[in-house]
Amino acid sequence: ISEAVAFLTEKNAKVPQQDEATYYQTAQITNDRYISVGSQADTNVIDLTGDDKDDLQRAIALSLEESNRAFRETGITDEEQAISRVLEASIAENKASLKRTHTEVWSDSPNPHDRKRQENCPVGLKNVGNTCWFSAVIQSLFNLLEFQRLVLHYSPPARMQDLPRNQKEHRNLPFMQELRHLFSLLVGSKRKYVDPSRAVEILKDAFKSSESQQVSFSPCDSMFALVLHREGEKPKNPMVDLFYGRFLAVGVLEGKKFENTEMFGQYPLQVNGFKDLHECLEAAMIEGEIESLHSTENSAKSGQEHWFTELPPVLTFELSRFEFNQTLGRPEKIHNKLEFPSMLYMDRYMDRNRDITRIKREEIRRLKEHLTILQQRLERYLSYGSGPKRFPLADVLQYAMEFASSKPVCTSPLEDVDTTALPGGTTAQLPPPASTGEQPDTSVPAEGSGSGPQAQQQQRVSIHKPFTQSRVPPDLPMHPAPRHITEEELRVLEGCLHRWRSEVENDTRDLQASISRIHRTIELMYSDKSMMQVPYRLHAVLVHEGQANAGHYWAYIFDPHQQQWMKYNDISVTKSSWEELVRDSFGGYRNASAYCLMYIDDKKPFLIEEEFDKETGQMLSGLDKLPPDLKEYVEADNKLFVREMEEWDTLQARKLQQEKLALAAASVAHDLEYMEQQSPTGDSKHLQEDTERAISKAAAEHDEKSPEALLNTAVKVEYTRLLRFAQEDTPPERDYRLQHVIVYFIHNQAPKKIVERTLLMQFADRNLGFDERCKSIMKVARAKLELIKPDEVNMEEYEMWHQDYRKFRDTTVFLLIGLELFLKKSYVEALMYLIFAYQYNKELLAKGPYRGHDEELIAHYRRECLLKLNEHAAVLFETGEETEVNAGLSIMNELVVACIPLLLVDEMEEKDMVAVEDMRNRWCSYLGQEMEPNLQEKLTDFLPKLLDCSTEIKSFHDPPKLPSYSTLELCERYGQVMTSLTLSRTPADGR
């Protein structure tokens, strides 16, 4: 069709004459969606090349002949040529953007153990540059175990005469070889995910011009076109047999009947205007007006029906969710909801059931016509009235009944109103109701206007009566009531209204019941056993999130052995559910929807059955599934990975040993550097004062003055003080854990020996007081520390507890600075502090609920900071100014996009998920707007990064350097910022 249109648009185009017999063998009544082979046309096929046909028909005929000639010469079908042309056009249009290099937001974790495959967990695929579509398709094919076996056991032609004879087969061989390597790694790799770069490059090379550097693909078309190639007269390709079927096209063109057998791979379905998959299929199977098919008369009407004669074991539907907006001149995505079943029965579309299906279709058509009439009638009952506002008729009758039966307490709504007590103490005289068309006077006399009735009537000013000051007298009816009605009239009217309302309610119920019965009848039309003999079970759903020209892909694939849906999202492979699949795949919710459905024949279990060893009967798994050459290939890669982990472990062990030696060499007095560190505000001095205060109190309580006794008593006094702090229920702004490490230890139930040694360290401070009593106690404390044996206090555990407290203090400082910057609206600077506060805090909370701060509070401000930055970046982008746009996209790429995986990693945090969706929706909304080409280019380049759903958390830059705060300063500033947050909150915040 595209060639025909191009031909017609050329100036002075001439149509070459074509031999009628030649065309007879090639032209078919087809749709451009299908690959046509082996047609068996009857003698009534129309020749579209005659002189009496219009230019479009002749051009189509010429296009068909050209495409068939090209296939004979090159082995490349017209479908693949069309794909190639579209890709090359895309390259030419986006040449500038394609030459740019895309900076990676994340890099692989330096720790190979983070990249180690968990036992029995499927292997993911690394995204090597907008290749999420490749991952989704490959994983769907890999999890078809029969296809997996065909790929793994594929062998290239061994004889010269079997070598490829055309361009298409030449490019297929290296891809199939690389696909074997990739599949073998997915089977037996010890890595969490593997790199598909080589396969992707081969695939790109197969569909790009020699000038281009990179290309975008139609995901499924490219894979199927390359892998599932047909080989003409050669023996059947078993891969093709898995995915390709045949249908019969039966139709009439201008009164003449035709019948063609056609092959199909992916079966395309339109989404717009349909609510479920069966409606899409019904529409795709019938085209045009087909009444003449079922009559003996020839008419001028044209149309065709499609009936499947042979369904493939793997039935793939391509859902067309894109349409071209003529006004804007670009494609747009259709977000309409489209439901599809987990079990699909294809009986109604089979050629062998043609007669019974036609009968059922006619019955459904008749039922739907009846249904339309009933729904129209029901609508008249449910939406009654002739004006713009309509109400249910039963309610209208009920309101009339209530009005008729209301008893008035006075004859006029104006009677019994107290006119002597108006707001503000002003008196007013309301005139009698106007009975002659005069407007009632609602004014009052002005001050100093004289006396007497006449003076009052002549000099009045309007009273201001605000709505809030209105008062309804208690004896005035709250609703209108009939003023003049006799008991007999009321009785007759109430009887009529009761009877009419009952009739209306009965009619409404009957209509609703009839409508429900018809719906149920239609639903069950194909539910008898004879029409449930061709079951297909849903195997995979390929999902696209985004808009027509940008987005992210992933796949849901059913694991029949675990009876579990799995989500394959690049390197992330996680367990999922039917509910999550429905949410992301049906459409109508967010920007995500299915674009490809893969069903498998439920009567052919070999498609998903594992292999078994013929001798032992044991199921083959892992490397045992691989041929010898692939087994050797995977084992070599696994050895490299194991060596990488060993080298990492050796390096870390060396570092740990160096740290231990450094720790052992350090003086005991410096074990708690953060407790003794000198600072501008005298942090250690504060600690010394607490210690000396405890010693003084111990000396006052006991007569015995020996240093050892005083030390024991002072330690108890200090511990009692700190225990009281730990037991207090305090607000966040007064967190005693910041004041002393012992409070933190008590909160988290640290071992008794750890607490005792820490207290001894406090009293062993070299800077403790200058009087003899304090010095003697310090010496006793130091002596006791030296007497503690290694088996009494585990020094590694001791150091671990103090490291946790140091991390808690660092977390507090990160949070403090981040919140201070946030309140100053310095969101760029605040973000990294809040990010590291959340990460450090999460690590602490993993050890216990009191190890860190309120996780929801940090998550809230981290989320709010990202939303503020996203909004700021969007505003900069909207200016259209080069500098501003680049600044906005820099904020998005370097900050927002980099941090989105942190919000997605915990899918239980609904607020974070909603925030990410809001940010994405903001940028996706620009796709439907007019903008300069350079902005469109930047947006298209940026959106895939934003829409990438990967939750893999990789390394950050180094955390911001923290200033040194004394305990007093830290507590004071932390208290101030938490108080500011409390004051700035509103009840609507929900925080």
Side-chain angles (χ1 to χ4, degrees):
I1 295 297
S2 61
E3 288 181 4
V5 173
F7 176 81
L8 287 173
T9 56
E10 288 185 21
K11 292 183 178 180
N12 305 319
K14 294 182 179 180
V15 183
Q17 295 297 316
Q18 181 185 16
D19 180 75
E20 182 173 336
T22 303
Y23 175 71
Y24 176 76
Q25 297 172 0
T26 59
Q28 303 172 39
I29 308 299
T30 66
N31 187 296
D32 65 341
R33 304 176 305 177
Y34 306 107
I35 303 169
S36 304
V37 295
S39 296
Q40 302 167 352
D42 68 21
T43 57
N44 289 326
V45 171
I46 305 302
D47 179 4
L48 299 181
T49 62
D51 293 335
D52 57 339
K53 302 300 184 289
D54 61 25
D55 286 346
L56 181 60
Q57 291 173 321
R58 291 197 297 275
I60 292 173
L62 180 63
S63 175
L64 287 169
E65 171 60 18
E66 285 295 315
S67 64
N68 278 273
R69 181 180 61 78
F71 176 65
R72 289 195 300 272
E73 293 177 359
T74 66
I76 303 175
T77 65
D78 55 348
E79 178 191 46
E80 291 159 352
Q81 291 174 9
I83 293 170
S84 183
R85 284 193 298 275
V86 170
L87 295 175
E88 291 186 13
S90 174
I91 295 166
E93 182 179 350
N94 298 290
K95 193 170 183 180
S97 64
L98 293 175
K99 287 182 179 178
R100 292 193 305 273
T101 57
H102 302 281
T103 56
E104 289 290 336
V105 175
W106 301 111
S107 58
D108 286 337
S109 171
N111 184 351
H113 292 281
D114 294 339
R115 294 179 268 119
K116 185 179 179 182
R117 179 182 181 180
Q118 301 298 315
E119 187 177 2
N120 297 324
C121 182
V123 178
L125 287 171
K126 184 178 180 179
N127 190 327
V128 292
N130 295 339
T131 56
C132 45
W133 63 268
F134 179 86
S135 300
V137 175
I138 283 293
Q139 293 284 20
S140 300
L141 295 173
F142 173 79
N143 281 278
L144 282 168
L145 298 186
E146 177 64 13
F147 182 81
Q148 181 190 120
R149 285 188 285 271
L150 289 173
V151 171
L152 293 175
H153 295 280
Y154 170 85
S155 57
R159 299 181 303 171
M160 183 66 68
Q161 58 268 34
D162 293 333
L163 289 174
R165 293 176 297 177
N166 55 47
Q167 175 187 351
K168 174 183 174 182
E169 293 179 19
H170 268 296
R171 74 189 183 195
N172 183 275
L173 284 177
F175 180 74
M176 287 304 300
Q177 292 281 39
E178 189 57 36
L179 197 60
R180 291 183 74 234
H181 289 156
L182 188 58
F183 271 28
S184 66
L185 290 173
L186 292 176
V187 167
S189 179
K190 291 184 177 181
R191 302 176 190 268
K192 182 180 180 180
Y193 54 89
V194 294
D195 190 333
S197 297
R198 178 61 185 151
V200 171
E201 286 304 317
I202 294 173
L203 190 59
K204 288 179 179 180
D205 290 339
F207 286 99
K208 74 178 182 179
S209 67
S210 58
E211 298 177 357
S212 64
Q213 299 300 317
Q214 184 179 349
V215 72
S216 299
F217 289 88
S218 169
C220 291
D221 289 342
S222 302
M223 291 296 299
F224 277 86
L226 192 61
V227 179
L228 309 178
H229 66 288
R230 295 184 303 281
E231 301 182 348
E233 301 299 325
K234 292 183 180 181
K236 280 190 172 183
N237 183 339
M239 293 187 184
V240 173
D241 293 342
L242 279 181
F243 296 92
Y244 281 86
R246 293 179 183 271
F247 68 85
L248 192 66
V250 182
V252 170
L253 182 62
E254 298 183 358
K256 296 185 179 181
K257 294 184 179 180
F258 67 86
E259 190 169 296
N260 297 326
T261 298
E262 302 183 21
M263 180 177 277
F264 71 94
Q266 292 184 92
Y267 200 87
L269 298 174
Q270 292 296 324
V271 169
N272 212 3
F274 305 109
K275 68 175 184 180
D276 59 41
L277 187 62
H278 277 300
E279 284 192 2
C280 296
L281 273 167
E282 289 282 354
M285 302 300 280
I286 303 174
E287 297 180 359
E289 302 176 40
I290 60 169
E291 289 84 355
S292 54
L293 287 173
H294 315 308
S295 64
T296 57
E297 301 177 2
N298 286 338
S299 69
K301 294 180 178 179
S302 300
Q304 61 178 318
E305 290 179 329
H306 299 160
W307 299 96
F308 293 117
T309 56
E310 181 184 346
L311 287 174
V314 182
L315 183 57
T316 307
F317 296 113
E318 182 183 356
L319 303 182
S320 178
R321 281 193 169 271
F322 300 98
E323 62 183 2
F324 193 80
N325 188 316
Q326 297 286 353
T327 305
L328 298 176
R330 61 169 172 262
E332 290 185 337
K333 187 175 179 184
I334 301 168
H335 293 293
N336 300 352
K337 182 178 181 180
L338 183 81
E339 298 180 2
F340 48 84
S342 58
M343 186 66 75
L344 177 69
Y345 294 94
M346 294 294 293
D347 303 73
R348 68 183 83 174
Y349 311 109
M350 302 303 295
D351 182 53
R352 62 175 178 264
N353 295 324
R354 190 193 303 188
D355 293 336
I356 187 171
T357 299
R358 282 175 174 168
I359 293 172
K360 288 180 178 291
R361 283 178 180 170
E362 177 60 27
E363 177 65 14
I364 289 174
R365 186 191 63 77
R366 188 188 63 78
L367 287 171
K368 286 185 175 179
E369 288 178 354
H370 189 201
L371 183 64
T372 301
I373 295 172
L374 293 179
Q375 287 173 331
Q376 290 172 348
R377 289 179 181 174
L378 178 62
E379 183 63 19
R380 295 191 186 104
Y381 280 92
L382 298 179
S383 185
Y384 186 80
S386 57
K389 291 187 178 180
R390 298 169 183 249
F391 305 92
L393 180 54
D395 291 348
V396 172
L397 294 171
Q398 176 65 26
Y399 300 153
M401 193 184 309
E402 291 173 359
F403 173 78
S405 58
S406 297
K407 305 297 183 183
V409 295
C410 58
T411 59
S412 168
L414 296 178
E415 291 183 9
D416 298 337
V417 177
D418 184 2
T419 62
T420 63
L422 292 172
T426 311
T427 59
Q429 178 180 355
L430 291 176
S435 58
T436 61
E438 298 178 1
Q439 294 297 323
D441 189 353
T442 58
S443 56
V444 295
E447 294 183 19
S449 60
S451 59
Q454 188 158 353
Q456 289 179 359
Q457 289 177 3
Q458 290 176 350
Q459 301 183 28
R460 290 182 178 176
V461 296
S462 298
I463 301 175
H464 174 63
K465 296 178 64 177
F467 176 76
T468 54
Q469 294 180 351
S470 300
R471 296 291 185 270
V472 179
D475 54 353
L476 187 67
M478 294 300 293
H479 51 75
R483 212 172 300 157
H484 304 293
I485 184 169
T486 66
E487 290 294 331
E488 185 177 354
E489 288 173 334
L490 180 60
R491 188 167 56 254
V492 172
L493 182 58
E494 283 183 336
C496 291
L497 290 172
H498 273 294
R499 184 173 66 255
W500 295 339
R501 186 168 185 269
S502 297
E503 291 172 358
V504 167
E505 288 176 341
N506 290 334
D507 290 347
T508 302
R509 278 195 297 269
D510 291 344
L511 284 168
Q512 289 170 334
S514 297
I515 290 171
S516 296
R517 281 196 300 273
I518 292 176
H519 276 302
R520 185 64 176 159
T521 303
I522 293 173
E523 288 175 4
L524 299 176
M525 188 63 70
Y526 295 100
S527 61
D528 52 289
K529 287 187 177 180
S530 64
M531 298 299 283
M532 299 177 72
Q533 299 302 308
V534 189
Y536 273 77
R537 185 179 58 75
L538 187 62
H539 163 69
V541 179
L542 278 65
V543 179
H544 173 265
E545 181 179 36
Q547 297 295 334
N549 52 358
H552 179 67
Y553 298 88
W554 69 90
Y556 290 102
I557 303 172
F558 188 71
D559 184 337
H561 307 289
Q562 297 186 52
Q563 292 294 300
Q564 173 80 51
W565 281 99
M566 303 293 291
K567 182 177 181 180
Y568 289 78
N569 188 358
D570 288 336
I571 62 176
S572 172
V573 183
T574 55
K575 290 184 177 181
S576 185
S577 64
W578 175 254
E579 290 72 25
E580 183 183 2
L581 184 154
V582 166
R583 184 194 69 191
D584 287 347
S585 306
F586 278 10
Y589 173 74
R590 307 194 307 175
N591 287 321
S593 56
Y595 72 90
C596 185
L597 306 176
M598 197 176 285
Y599 284 88
I600 57 176
D601 191 334
D602 204 43
K603 290 186 175 181
K604 295 179 178 175
F606 71 89
L607 293 169
I608 51 174
E609 275 184 346
E610 295 282 3
E611 277 188 285
F612 290 85
D613 188 279
K614 295 179 181 179
E615 297 180 0
T616 64
Q618 296 292 320
M619 186 180 78
L620 298 177
S621 61
L623 296 177
D624 295 335
K625 297 172 67 172
L626 303 178
D629 63 321
L630 292 181
K631 186 175 182 179
E632 183 179 339
Y633 172 78
V634 175
E635 285 177 340
D637 185 74
N638 284 340
K639 286 179 181 177
L640 286 175
F641 185 60
V642 170
R643 188 183 309 154
E644 186 181 350
M645 289 190 290
E646 290 173 349
E647 290 174 355
W648 171 268
D649 292 340
T650 301
L651 178 63
Q652 298 308 306
R654 190 180 301 123
K655 287 182 178 179
L656 184 62
Q657 184 64 27
Q658 290 173 350
E659 290 174 0
K660 285 184 177 180
L661 290 173
L663 182 65
S667 170
V668 174
H670 292 87
D671 281 350
L672 294 176
E673 291 180 4
Y674 64 91
M675 292 181 67
E676 297 188 3
Q677 66 182 356
Q678 299 299 319
S679 67
T681 52
D683 196 19
S684 60
K685 184 180 180 182
H686 166 69
L687 192 61
Q688 293 164 21
E689 290 174 353
D690 288 341
T691 307
E692 291 169 3
R693 194 178 299 113
I695 293 173
S696 298
K697 190 172 182 181
E701 290 179 359
H702 295 276
D703 295 333
E704 188 178 352
K705 304 298 182 180
S706 70
E708 186 170 357
L710 281 176
L711 172 63
N712 293 336
T713 305
V715 167
K716 290 179 182 178
V717 167
E718 179 67 354
Y719 179 77
T720 303
R721 180 180 75 89
L722 297 173
L723 179 62
R724 187 172 65 254
F725 285 161
Q727 292 173 339
E728 282 188 28
D729 186 12
T730 58
E733 55 264 27
R734 197 150 51 91
D735 192 336
Y736 284 125
R737 291 176 300 172
L738 292 173
Q739 294 192 13
H740 203 291
V741 63
I742 296 297
V743 179
Y744 183 83
F745 286 175
I746 295 172
H747 268 284
N748 293 286
Q749 299 177 338
K752 183 180 177 182
K753 292 289 185 181
I754 304 294
V755 175
E756 289 177 351
R757 193 182 195 286
T758 303
L759 280 170
L760 275 177
M761 282 295 304
Q762 179 178 333
F763 284 86
D765 183 4
R766 293 182 185 273
N767 299 315
L768 191 64
F770 295 102
D771 61 87
E772 291 302 321
R773 183 174 60 190
C774 288
K775 285 182 179 179
S776 61
I777 289 177
M778 179 265 290
K779 291 178 181 178
V780 172
R782 298 186 71 80
K784 282 182 173 287
L785 282 172
E786 292 175 1
L787 292 173
I788 296 176
K789 298 177 182 178
D791 59 341
E792 292 183 51
V793 177
N794 186 327
M795 288 306 295
E796 288 188 5
E797 183 183 14
Y798 174 82
E799 181 59 26
M800 182 201 71
W801 275 96
H802 284 279
Q803 284 177 354
D804 281 355
Y805 185 65
R806 283 192 286 269
K807 184 171 236 179
F808 171 72
R809 297 257 303 202
D810 288 346
T811 303
T812 307
V813 177
F814 276 127
L815 178 59
L816 163 66
I817 298 175
L819 291 175
E820 286 178 341
L821 290 168
F822 182 90
L823 291 173
K824 293 175 183 176
K825 300 184 179 180
S826 302
Y827 304 120
V828 172
E829 295 83 358
L831 180 62
M832 273 302 113
Y833 287 98
L834 293 173
I835 289 293
F836 278 98
Y838 186 88
Q839 294 301 107
Y840 279 30
N841 196 64
K842 193 174 186 69
E843 293 171 13
L844 287 171
L845 292 179
K847 297 183 178 182
Y850 302 106
R851 294 285 185 116
H853 293 285
D854 181 1
E855 188 174 27
E856 287 189 16
L857 180 137
I858 307 178
H860 171 82
Y861 284 100
R862 180 185 68 164
R863 182 169 59 245
E864 285 295 306
C865 197
L866 282 168
L867 287 168
K868 298 285 188 185
L869 286 172
N870 186 77
E871 179 65 23
H872 177 56
V875 170
L876 290 175
F877 183 82
E878 289 170 2
T879 64
E881 298 293 332
E882 184 76 12
T883 306
E884 304 291 315
V885 169
N886 290 339
L889 291 178
S890 177
I891 289 172
M892 292 302 297
N893 282 317
E894 295 175 12
L895 296 175
V896 179
V897 170
C899 295
I900 278 181
L902 296 173
L903 273 65
L904 292 175
V905 70
D906 186 3
E907 295 190 359
M908 298 303 291
E909 185 54 61
E910 184 68 24
K911 291 178 182 177
D912 282 350
M913 300 286 285
V914 171
V916 171
E917 203 57 41
D918 288 345
M919 288 187 278
R920 288 174 172 168
N921 287 340
R922 176 65 188 269
W923 289 90
C924 285
S925 68
Y926 294 138
L927 290 170
Q929 300 178 17
E930 290 289 347
M931 64 179 68
E932 295 294 326
N934 67 316
L935 288 183
Q936 183 69 49
E937 182 182 298
K938 290 176 184 292
L939 183 64
T940 304
D941 184 43
F942 158 69
L943 270 178
K945 302 173 188 175
L946 179 66
L947 297 174
D948 186 354
C949 292
S950 174
T951 57
E952 185 74 5
I953 304 300
K954 309 240 174 52
S955 57
F956 280 104
H957 297 297
D958 292 334
K961 189 171 182 180
L962 296 179
S964 177
Y965 291 137
S966 70
T967 297
L968 287 176
E969 187 179 4
L970 179 61
C971 292
E972 182 180 348
R973 290 183 63 170
Y974 184 75
Q976 288 173 351
V977 76
M978 295 304 292
T979 302
S980 298
L981 294 182
T982 305
L983 295 175
S984 66
R985 290 177 200 159
T986 63
D989 282 339
R991 299 199 289 277

